[in-house]
Amino acid sequence: GDGAPTSNYGYSNSGYSVYEEENERLTESLRTKVSAIKSLSIEIGTEVKNQNKMLSEMDNDFDSTGGLLGATMGRLRMLSRGSQTKLLCYMMLFALFVFFVIYWIIKLR
């Protein structure tokens, strides 16, 4: 082979540079996409940390509210264990008072 070129493994310079330019363009496109995915994953990680912090704070708030509600329910149970007759008497007096207030309001019209 006197006529066969020995450099570039049989490729002509113009064809080889076209493939090289195409590879460079695709590599740059891939680099841009990988960079975008990296920044997106960092933003997602930051958002997840913020959401976990907010959930933790809400959990603490619900725990304290549950404790307060439990204490209130305990007081109500102690009141209800007391004299049932006394409680019933107070309820009847309150109902009678409300009845007279409503009667008085209607009569003044």
Side-chain angles (χ1 to χ4, degrees):
D2 288 52
T6 56
S7 65
N8 293 335
Y9 301 102
Y11 295 111
S12 66
N13 270 346
S14 64
Y16 182 72
S17 65
V18 168
Y19 288 125
E20 191 173 325
E21 288 173 10
E22 180 71 16
N23 281 341
E24 288 296 323
R25 186 181 61 77
L26 291 173
T27 303
E28 187 59 36
S29 173
L30 185 61
R31 187 174 294 126
T32 303
K33 290 176 183 176
V34 167
S35 176
I37 289 173
K38 179 182 176 185
S39 66
L40 184 62
S41 65
I42 289 171
E43 288 176 16
I44 289 172
T46 303
E47 184 66 26
V48 166
K49 286 178 186 175
N50 290 338
Q51 294 292 329
N52 282 339
K53 182 180 174 187
M54 189 184 322
L55 285 174
S56 177
E57 290 171 358
M58 284 178 62
D59 187 38
N60 292 339
D61 290 344
F62 280 128
D63 283 345
S64 65
T65 304
L68 181 64
L69 185 59
T72 303
M73 290 303 291
R75 289 184 194 125
L76 283 174
R77 280 189 203 108
M78 281 183 16
L79 282 175
S80 68
R81 286 185 193 142
S83 171
Q84 295 292 332
T85 309
K86 195 176 191 182
L87 184 63
L88 185 60
C89 193
Y90 284 140
M91 287 177 54
M92 290 297 287
L93 286 174
F94 178 73
L96 192 61
F97 173 75
V98 170
F99 174 75
F100 279 122
V101 168
I102 292 173
Y103 176 76
W104 183 63
I105 290 173
I106 290 174
K107 191 161 184 152
L108 286 179
R109 280 185 163 191

